[in-house]
Protein backbone atom coordinates (compact mmCIF):
# COMPACT_ATOMS: atom_id res chain seq x y z
CA UNK A 1 0.00 0.00 0.00
CA UNK A 2 1.01 3.63 -0.42
CA UNK A 3 -0.16 5.61 2.57
CA UNK A 4 -0.30 9.42 2.33
CA UNK A 5 -0.08 11.64 5.43
CA UNK A 6 -1.01 15.29 5.75
CA UNK A 7 -1.16 17.83 8.57
CA UNK A 8 -3.69 20.66 8.22
CA UNK A 9 -4.90 23.74 10.11
CA UNK A 10 -3.01 25.36 12.99
CA UNK A 11 0.07 23.37 13.96
CA UNK A 12 0.37 21.88 17.42
CA UNK A 13 2.89 19.89 19.43
CA UNK A 14 2.67 16.16 18.65
CA UNK A 15 2.09 16.33 14.88
CA UNK A 16 5.52 14.89 14.18
CA UNK A 17 4.98 12.14 16.73
CA UNK A 18 1.85 11.06 14.79
CA UNK A 19 3.75 11.12 11.47
CA UNK A 20 6.43 8.94 13.05
CA UNK A 21 3.94 6.41 14.44
CA UNK A 22 1.91 6.17 11.21
CA UNK A 23 5.13 5.66 9.27
CA UNK A 24 6.76 3.14 11.61
CA UNK A 25 3.69 0.93 11.72
CA UNK A 26 3.19 1.18 7.96
CA UNK A 27 6.86 0.36 7.25
CA UNK A 28 6.57 -2.68 9.49
CA UNK A 29 3.81 -3.95 7.19
CA UNK A 30 5.83 -3.31 4.05
CA UNK A 31 3.81 -0.25 3.02
CA UNK A 32 5.27 2.95 1.64
CA UNK A 33 4.54 6.34 3.17
CA UNK A 34 4.24 9.60 1.27
CA UNK A 35 4.11 13.01 2.94
CA UNK A 36 1.60 15.47 1.49
CA UNK A 37 2.96 18.98 1.98
CA UNK A 38 1.02 21.83 3.62
CA UNK A 39 -2.31 20.24 4.38
CA UNK A 40 -4.98 20.05 1.70
CA UNK A 41 -2.95 22.51 -0.40
CA UNK A 42 -0.54 19.64 -1.08
CA UNK A 43 -3.31 17.62 -2.70
CA UNK A 44 -4.74 20.59 -4.58
CA UNK A 45 -1.29 21.43 -5.99
CA UNK A 46 0.33 17.99 -6.01
CA UNK A 47 3.08 18.56 -3.42
CA UNK A 48 4.46 15.24 -2.23
CA UNK A 49 7.60 13.93 -0.55
CA UNK A 50 8.46 10.31 0.20
CA UNK A 51 8.93 9.51 3.88
CA UNK A 52 11.44 6.80 4.76
CA UNK A 53 12.95 5.67 8.08
CA UNK A 54 15.52 8.43 7.91
CA UNK A 55 12.92 11.20 7.42
CA UNK A 56 10.86 10.07 10.41
CA UNK A 57 13.79 9.53 12.75
CA UNK A 58 14.11 11.86 15.75
CA UNK A 59 10.58 13.23 15.41
CA UNK A 60 9.04 12.25 18.75
CA UNK A 61 10.00 15.37 20.74
CA UNK A 62 9.98 17.80 17.82
CA UNK A 63 7.32 20.55 17.71
CA UNK A 64 5.62 21.86 14.56
CA UNK A 65 5.22 19.61 11.53
CA UNK A 66 7.91 18.43 9.11
CA UNK A 67 5.21 18.39 6.39
CA UNK A 68 4.16 22.02 6.79
CA UNK A 69 0.52 23.02 7.14
CA UNK A 70 -2.05 25.43 5.72
CA UNK A 71 -5.68 26.42 6.10
CA UNK A 72 -6.42 25.63 2.44
CA UNK A 73 -9.97 24.41 1.88
CA UNK A 74 -10.28 22.55 -1.44
CA UNK A 75 -14.02 23.31 -1.43
CA UNK A 76 -13.18 27.02 -1.61
CA UNK A 77 -10.65 26.68 -4.44
CA UNK A 78 -11.98 26.55 -7.99
CA UNK A 79 -11.53 22.98 -9.25
CA UNK A 80 -10.01 22.16 -5.86
CA UNK A 81 -11.84 18.92 -5.17
CA UNK A 82 -11.17 17.52 -8.65
CA UNK A 83 -7.51 18.44 -8.25
CA UNK A 84 -7.37 16.61 -4.89
CA UNK A 85 -8.86 13.44 -6.41
CA UNK A 86 -6.62 13.62 -9.47
CA UNK A 87 -3.37 14.23 -7.59
CA UNK A 88 -4.22 11.51 -5.09
CA UNK A 89 -4.76 8.96 -7.88
CA UNK A 90 -1.79 10.27 -9.86
CA UNK A 91 0.56 9.77 -6.90
CA UNK A 92 -0.59 6.15 -6.63
CA UNK A 93 -1.89 6.58 -3.08
CA UNK A 94 -4.23 4.00 -1.55
CA UNK A 95 -5.08 5.74 1.71
CA UNK A 96 -4.69 9.13 3.36
CA UNK A 97 -4.12 9.83 7.04
CA UNK A 98 -5.35 13.39 7.66
CA UNK A 99 -4.16 14.89 10.94
CA UNK A 100 -6.22 17.93 11.81
CA UNK A 101 -9.04 19.64 13.64
CA UNK A 102 -12.64 20.42 12.74
CA UNK A 103 -11.72 22.09 9.43
CA UNK A 104 -9.18 19.62 8.04
CA UNK A 105 -11.19 16.62 9.18
CA UNK A 106 -14.43 18.26 8.03
CA UNK A 107 -13.00 18.30 4.50
CA UNK A 108 -11.99 14.64 4.93
CA UNK A 109 -15.50 13.70 6.10
CA UNK A 110 -17.06 15.46 3.13
CA UNK A 111 -14.68 13.91 0.60
CA UNK A 112 -15.39 10.50 2.07
CA UNK A 113 -19.16 11.07 2.01
CA UNK A 114 -19.25 12.47 -1.53
CA UNK A 115 -16.45 10.50 -3.25
CA UNK A 116 -15.70 7.55 -0.94
CA UNK A 117 -12.27 9.14 -0.61
CA UNK A 118 -10.08 6.69 1.37
CA UNK A 119 -9.28 8.88 4.37
CA UNK A 120 -8.80 8.25 8.08
CA UNK A 121 -8.48 11.03 10.64
CA UNK A 122 -6.36 11.86 13.68
CA UNK A 123 -7.79 14.45 16.11
CA UNK A 124 -5.39 17.36 16.52
CA UNK A 125 -5.89 20.76 18.10
CA UNK A 126 -4.71 22.64 21.14
CA UNK A 127 -8.35 23.78 21.48
CA UNK A 128 -9.64 20.27 22.43
CA UNK A 129 -12.96 21.08 20.78
CA UNK A 130 -13.43 18.01 18.56
CA UNK A 131 -16.41 15.82 19.35
CA UNK A 132 -16.34 12.04 19.73
CA UNK A 133 -12.95 11.99 21.47
CA UNK A 134 -12.17 12.77 25.11
CA UNK A 135 -8.97 14.62 24.22
CA UNK A 136 -7.09 15.85 21.16
CA UNK A 137 -3.31 15.77 21.21
CA UNK A 138 -1.60 19.17 21.62
CA UNK A 139 -4.07 20.27 24.27
CA UNK A 140 -2.05 19.00 27.21
CA UNK A 141 1.04 20.88 26.02
CA UNK A 142 -0.92 24.12 25.58
CA UNK A 143 -2.44 23.74 29.05
CA UNK A 144 1.04 23.19 30.55
CA UNK A 145 2.35 26.35 28.91
CA UNK A 146 -0.65 28.39 30.10
CA UNK A 147 -0.46 26.97 33.59
CA UNK A 148 3.17 27.95 33.85
CA UNK A 149 2.17 31.45 32.73
CA UNK A 150 -0.51 31.63 35.46
CA UNK A 151 2.07 30.53 38.04
CA UNK A 152 4.55 33.16 36.89
CA UNK A 153 1.91 35.89 36.83
CA UNK A 154 1.05 35.13 40.46
CA UNK A 155 4.43 36.22 41.78
CA UNK A 156 4.60 39.48 39.85
CA UNK A 157 0.91 40.26 40.55
CA UNK A 158 1.52 39.81 44.26
CA UNK A 159 4.61 42.04 44.26
CA UNK A 160 2.74 44.92 42.63
CA UNK A 161 -0.79 44.47 44.07
CA UNK A 162 -2.13 44.12 40.54
CA UNK A 163 -4.85 42.34 38.65
CA UNK A 164 -3.31 40.27 35.87
CA UNK A 165 -5.37 39.28 32.84
CA UNK A 166 -4.07 36.33 30.81
CA UNK A 167 -5.56 35.88 27.33
CA UNK A 168 -5.32 32.32 26.00
CA UNK A 169 -6.37 30.64 22.74
CA UNK A 170 -9.37 28.42 22.14
CA UNK A 171 -11.36 30.07 19.35
CA UNK A 172 -14.96 28.85 20.02
CA UNK A 173 -14.41 26.99 23.29
CA UNK A 174 -12.81 27.67 26.64
CA UNK A 175 -11.04 24.34 27.29
CA UNK A 176 -7.54 25.82 27.56
CA UNK A 177 -8.74 28.67 29.80
CA UNK A 178 -10.69 26.39 32.14
CA UNK A 179 -8.02 23.72 32.50
CA UNK A 180 -5.07 26.08 32.94
CA UNK A 181 -7.16 28.34 35.16
CA UNK A 182 -8.08 25.46 37.46
CA UNK A 183 -4.51 24.12 37.44
CA UNK A 184 -3.01 27.55 38.16
CA UNK A 185 -5.64 28.69 40.67
CA UNK A 186 -7.08 31.60 38.66
CA UNK A 187 -9.52 33.86 40.54
CA UNK A 188 -11.85 34.40 37.58
CA UNK A 189 -12.06 32.43 34.30
CA UNK A 190 -14.04 33.82 31.38
CA UNK A 191 -15.00 31.56 28.45
CA UNK A 192 -17.49 31.80 25.58
CA UNK A 193 -19.69 28.85 26.63
CA UNK A 194 -20.51 30.13 30.14
CA UNK A 195 -20.71 33.90 29.86
CA UNK A 196 -20.09 35.68 33.15
CA UNK A 197 -20.71 39.40 32.79
CA UNK A 198 -17.85 41.83 33.23
CA UNK A 199 -19.66 43.31 36.25
CA UNK A 200 -19.90 39.87 37.89
CA UNK A 201 -16.21 39.30 37.18
CA UNK A 202 -15.37 42.64 38.85
CA UNK A 203 -17.58 41.70 41.82
CA UNK A 204 -15.51 38.52 42.29
CA UNK A 205 -12.30 40.56 42.21
CA UNK A 206 -13.62 43.15 44.70
CA UNK A 207 -14.83 40.35 46.97
CA UNK A 208 -11.39 38.78 46.93
CA UNK A 209 -9.74 42.10 47.75
CA UNK A 210 -12.27 42.66 50.57
CA UNK A 211 -11.03 39.35 52.00
CA UNK A 212 -7.57 40.89 52.28
CA UNK A 213 -6.02 39.67 49.01
CA UNK A 214 -4.08 42.34 47.17
CA UNK A 215 -3.90 40.79 43.71
CA UNK A 216 -6.01 38.69 41.33
CA UNK A 217 -5.48 36.54 38.27
CA UNK A 218 -8.08 36.49 35.48
CA UNK A 219 -7.82 33.97 32.63
CA UNK A 220 -9.87 34.88 29.54
CA UNK A 221 -10.41 32.81 26.43
CA UNK A 222 -9.90 34.69 23.15
CA UNK A 223 -13.48 33.86 22.10
CA UNK A 224 -15.14 35.47 25.15
CA UNK A 225 -17.68 38.07 24.02
CA UNK A 226 -17.64 41.63 25.31
CA UNK A 227 -19.97 44.41 24.12
CA UNK A 228 -18.31 46.76 21.70
CA UNK A 229 -15.58 44.33 20.59
CA UNK A 230 -15.24 44.34 16.83
CA UNK A 231 -14.15 41.37 14.73
CA UNK A 232 -11.50 42.16 12.11
CA UNK A 233 -13.21 41.75 8.70
CA UNK A 234 -10.76 39.20 7.35
CA UNK A 235 -11.66 35.50 7.51
CA UNK A 236 -9.74 32.37 6.53
CA UNK A 237 -10.93 29.79 3.96
CA UNK A 238 -13.03 28.09 6.63
CA UNK A 239 -14.77 31.35 7.53
CA UNK A 240 -12.97 31.95 10.86
CA UNK A 241 -12.09 35.46 11.96
CA UNK A 242 -8.69 36.03 13.56
CA UNK A 243 -9.67 36.35 17.22
CA UNK A 244 -6.31 37.66 18.38
CA UNK A 245 -7.09 40.84 16.43
CA UNK A 246 -10.08 41.63 18.67
CA UNK A 247 -7.86 42.21 21.67
CA UNK A 248 -10.23 40.81 24.27
CA UNK A 249 -7.49 40.66 26.93
CA UNK A 250 -6.58 44.33 26.58
CA UNK A 251 -10.21 45.48 26.56
CA UNK A 252 -11.01 43.38 29.58
CA UNK A 253 -8.02 44.72 31.51
CA UNK A 254 -9.12 48.27 30.71
CA UNK A 255 -12.67 47.58 31.93
CA UNK A 256 -11.48 45.91 35.13
CA UNK A 257 -9.18 48.80 36.00
CA UNK A 258 -11.90 51.37 35.32
CA UNK A 259 -14.59 49.54 37.26
CA UNK A 260 -12.55 48.37 40.26
CA UNK A 261 -9.80 50.97 40.48
CA UNK A 262 -7.19 48.19 40.79
CA UNK A 263 -4.13 48.53 38.59
CA UNK A 264 -4.43 45.91 35.85
CA UNK A 265 -2.05 44.46 33.23
CA UNK A 266 -2.59 42.05 30.35
CA UNK A 267 -0.51 39.19 28.93
CA UNK A 268 -1.44 37.63 25.58
CA UNK A 269 0.24 34.24 25.17
CA UNK A 270 -0.60 33.79 21.47
CA UNK A 271 1.28 31.24 19.42
CA UNK A 272 3.68 30.39 22.24
CA UNK A 273 0.85 28.00 23.21
CA UNK A 274 1.38 26.02 20.01
CA UNK A 275 5.15 26.04 19.86
CA UNK A 276 7.88 23.73 21.11
CA UNK A 277 8.10 20.17 22.27
CA UNK A 278 5.01 18.13 23.25
CA UNK A 279 4.51 17.00 26.86
CA UNK A 280 5.03 13.29 27.56
CA UNK A 281 1.26 12.84 27.71
CA UNK A 282 0.85 14.37 24.23
CA UNK A 283 3.73 12.30 22.84
CA UNK A 284 2.07 9.13 24.07
CA UNK A 285 -1.41 10.14 22.88
CA UNK A 286 -0.08 11.20 19.45
CA UNK A 287 1.80 7.92 19.16
CA UNK A 288 -1.26 5.84 20.05
CA UNK A 289 -3.40 7.83 17.59
CA UNK A 290 -0.79 7.37 14.86
CA UNK A 291 -0.67 3.59 15.32
CA UNK A 292 -4.46 3.40 15.30
CA UNK A 293 -4.70 5.51 12.12
CA UNK A 294 -2.14 3.27 10.38
CA UNK A 295 -4.18 0.22 11.44
CA UNK A 296 -7.38 1.78 10.09
CA UNK A 297 -5.67 2.60 6.78
CA UNK A 298 -4.26 -0.93 6.54
CA UNK A 299 -7.71 -2.42 7.20
CA UNK A 300 -9.24 0.02 4.69
CA UNK A 301 -11.63 1.26 7.37
CA UNK A 302 -12.09 4.63 5.77
CA UNK A 303 -14.22 7.54 6.96
CA UNK A 304 -13.09 6.78 10.53
CA UNK A 305 -11.07 8.74 13.09
CA UNK A 306 -8.85 7.52 15.93
CA UNK A 307 -10.33 8.67 19.24
CA UNK A 308 -9.69 8.43 22.98
CA UNK A 309 -12.53 7.06 25.12
CA UNK A 310 -11.46 6.84 28.74
CA UNK A 311 -8.08 5.11 28.50
CA UNK A 312 -8.80 3.26 25.28
CA UNK A 313 -8.03 4.19 21.70
CA UNK A 314 -11.09 3.45 19.57
CA UNK A 315 -12.37 4.59 16.19
CA UNK A 316 -15.39 6.76 15.47
CA UNK A 317 -16.92 8.12 12.28
CA UNK A 318 -15.35 11.26 10.88
CA UNK A 319 -18.81 12.64 10.37
CA UNK A 320 -19.70 12.26 14.04
CA UNK A 321 -16.40 13.86 15.08
CA UNK A 322 -16.90 16.94 12.92
CA UNK A 323 -20.65 17.55 13.04
CA UNK A 324 -20.53 19.75 16.15
CA UNK A 325 -17.92 21.24 18.47
CA UNK A 326 -17.29 19.86 21.95
CA UNK A 327 -18.02 22.63 24.45
CA UNK A 328 -16.84 22.88 28.06
CA UNK A 329 -19.64 21.18 30.04
CA UNK A 330 -21.28 22.76 33.10
CA UNK A 331 -19.60 20.45 35.59
CA UNK A 332 -16.11 21.43 34.44
CA UNK A 333 -16.98 25.11 34.69
CA UNK A 334 -18.41 24.53 38.17
CA UNK A 335 -15.02 23.17 39.31
CA UNK A 336 -13.44 26.44 38.11
CA UNK A 337 -16.17 28.60 39.60
CA UNK A 338 -15.77 27.07 43.06
CA UNK A 339 -12.54 29.07 43.40
CA UNK A 340 -13.68 32.42 42.00
CA UNK A 341 -13.38 35.54 44.15
O1 LIG B 1 -7.31 26.23 16.32
C1 LIG B 1 -6.07 26.47 16.89
C2 LIG B 1 -5.82 27.94 17.05
O2 LIG B 1 -4.57 28.08 17.70
C3 LIG B 1 -6.92 28.71 17.81
O3 LIG B 1 -6.84 28.53 19.19
C4 LIG B 1 -6.64 30.12 17.34
O4 LIG B 1 -7.79 30.92 17.39
C5 LIG B 1 -6.20 29.92 15.93
O5 LIG B 1 -5.73 28.61 15.82
C6 LIG B 1 -5.12 30.89 15.49
O6 LIG B 1 -4.86 30.69 14.15
P1 LIG B 1 -3.60 31.27 13.35
O7 LIG B 1 -2.44 30.37 13.61
O8 LIG B 1 -4.03 31.21 11.93
O9 LIG B 1 -3.34 32.66 13.85
Amino acid sequence: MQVGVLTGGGDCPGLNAVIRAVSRRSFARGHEVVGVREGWRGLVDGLFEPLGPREVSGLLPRGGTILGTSRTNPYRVEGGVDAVLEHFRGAGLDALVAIGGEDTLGVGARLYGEHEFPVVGVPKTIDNDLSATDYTFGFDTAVSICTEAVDRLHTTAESHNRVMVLEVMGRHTGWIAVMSGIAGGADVILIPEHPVSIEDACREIRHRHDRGKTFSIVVVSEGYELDGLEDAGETDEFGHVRLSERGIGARLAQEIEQRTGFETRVTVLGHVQRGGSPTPRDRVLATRYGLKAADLAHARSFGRMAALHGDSIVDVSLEEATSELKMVPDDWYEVARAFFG
Side-chain angles (χ1 to χ4, degrees), residues 38-60:
E38 296 176 20
W40 290 110
R41 181 187 296 156
L43 277 172
V44 172
D45 294 339
L47 312 172
F48 300 108
E49 71 183 38
L51 294 179
R54 188 197 288 263
E55 282 74 24
V56 301
S57 161
L59 290 189
L60 193 54

Side-chain angles (χ1 to χ4, degrees), residues 4-337:
V5 191
L6 69 74
T7 53
D11 72 337
C12 89
L15 285 165
N16 287 324
V18 179
I19 295 169
R20 168 182 176 265
V22 169
S23 303
R24 292 280 292 270
R25 174 128 306 165
S26 300
F27 297 155
R29 294 199 168 110
H31 301 325
E32 285 175 9
V33 180
V34 176
V36 177
R37 293 221 42 99
E38 296 176 20
W40 290 110
R41 181 187 296 156
L43 277 172
V44 172
D45 294 339
L47 312 172
F48 300 108
E49 71 183 38
L51 294 179
R54 188 197 288 263
E55 282 74 24
V56 301
S57 161
L59 290 189
L60 193 54
R62 197 162 141 192
T65 161
I66 58 161
L67 294 175
T69 185
S70 72
R71 296 195 189 276
T72 298
N73 179 354
Y75 283 95
R76 295 283 289 269
V77 177
E78 213 185 310
V81 172
D82 289 341
V84 166
L85 301 176
E86 221 164 275
H87 283 129
F88 185 80
R89 262 195 307 269
L93 297 175
D94 302 292
L96 178 74
V97 176
I99 312 169
E102 46 150 342
D103 298 331
T104 304
L105 299 185
V107 169
R110 199 164 160 194
L111 285 171
Y112 174 74
E114 293 173 2
H115 301 277
E116 289 186 26
F117 188 74
V119 60
V120 303
V122 176
K124 163 243 68 160
T125 167
I126 63 164
D127 299 348
N128 196 41
D129 58 0
L130 263 177
S131 289
T133 186
D134 291 353
Y135 289 99
T136 54
F137 75 85
F139 174 63
D140 186 62
T141 309
V143 169
S144 299
I145 293 165
C146 295
T147 303
E148 187 188 341
V150 175
D151 289 348
R152 288 179 183 274
L153 288 173
H154 264 96
T155 60
T156 174
E158 188 170 20
S159 307
H160 287 268
N161 300 335
R162 281 175 175 159
V163 177
M164 290 293 192
V165 172
L166 176 68
E167 178 186 320
V168 300
M169 281 184 167
R171 194 170 268 158
H172 310 291
T173 63
W175 283 103
I176 297 176
V178 161
M179 290 298 190
S180 60
I182 292 172
D187 305 303
V188 178
I189 302 170
L190 300 174
I191 64 172
E193 301 96 310
H194 298 271
V196 166
S197 74
I198 177 96
E199 196 38 52
D200 287 344
C202 289
R203 190 171 311 124
E204 299 287 9
I205 294 168
R206 281 190 214 103
H207 175 245
R208 185 176 146 80
H209 288 232
D210 289 347
R211 286 196 293 117
K213 300 286 183 182
T214 58
F215 69 94
S216 292
I217 307 289
V218 178
V219 178
V220 62
S221 187
E222 61 179 355
Y224 175 76
E225 293 291 340
L226 199 62
D227 285 350
L229 266 196
E230 303 253 326
D231 285 341
E234 222 179 291
T235 55
D236 67 17
E237 288 189 17
F238 289 91
H240 304 302
V241 294
R242 208 177 306 150
L243 290 173
S244 55
E245 306 281 296
R246 298 192 317 154
I248 177 69
R251 264 297 307 283
L252 184 65
Q254 213 177 30
E255 286 283 338
I256 291 174
E257 189 166 283
Q258 265 167 20
R259 290 173 190 241
T260 65
F262 301 131
E263 193 179 21
T264 306
R265 293 286 190 271
V266 62
T267 301
V268 181
L269 276 185
H271 293 80
V272 167
Q273 294 161 88
R274 298 216 312 243
S277 193
T279 57
R281 188 183 166 87
D282 272 339
R283 294 181 199 192
V284 173
L285 185 59
T287 297
R288 295 177 79 201
Y289 280 157
L291 294 181
K292 181 69 176 180
D295 291 348
L296 290 169
H298 176 73
R300 297 180 191 274
S301 295
F302 299 125
R304 312 290 298 168
M305 182 186 86
L308 182 72
H309 287 180
D311 258 347
S312 306
I313 300 291
V314 298
D315 59 282
V316 297
S317 86
L318 266 177
E319 200 192 337
E320 183 194 348
T322 54
S323 52
E324 59 177 10
L325 288 175
K326 184 180 68 188
M327 302 294 181
V328 174
D330 291 350
D331 52 348
W332 268 118
Y333 197 62
E334 281 314 310
V335 174
R337 207 194 263 277

